Amino acid sequence: MAQHTPALRPVCPHCDGHPSVAVTLGGRDRAGLLRTITAHCPACDGTGTRLTRTRQITAGR
């Protein structure tokens, strides 16, 4: 059975670690290639990871 390796860094919950994608605009250029643009995840700015926040724990009665 395959063993899953945990991620070394926390993965962005918005893009699930796939921060950049190529989106086709439809149609082709004169050379016959698809016209595409690159879109980056706005939550992680195209890094695929998120910063870990430290939580303040208040204990008391």
Side-chain angles (χ1 to χ4, degrees):
M1 261 173 112
Q3 297 293 324
H4 296 285
T5 304
L8 298 177
R9 296 182 184 164
V11 177
C12 174
H14 296 278
C15 64
D16 291 329
H18 300 282
S20 298
V21 294
V23 179
T24 60
L25 298 175
R28 296 183 180 264
D29 61 3
R30 291 182 184 201
L33 301 173
L34 284 174
R35 294 183 305 173
T36 60
I37 58 170
T38 304
H40 300 289
C41 175
C44 64
D45 295 325
T47 61
T49 59
R50 63 181 171 90
L51 297 174
T52 56
R53 293 183 182 181
T54 57
R55 293 183 179 175
Q56 181 180 4
I57 300 174
T58 56
R61 294 182 179 201

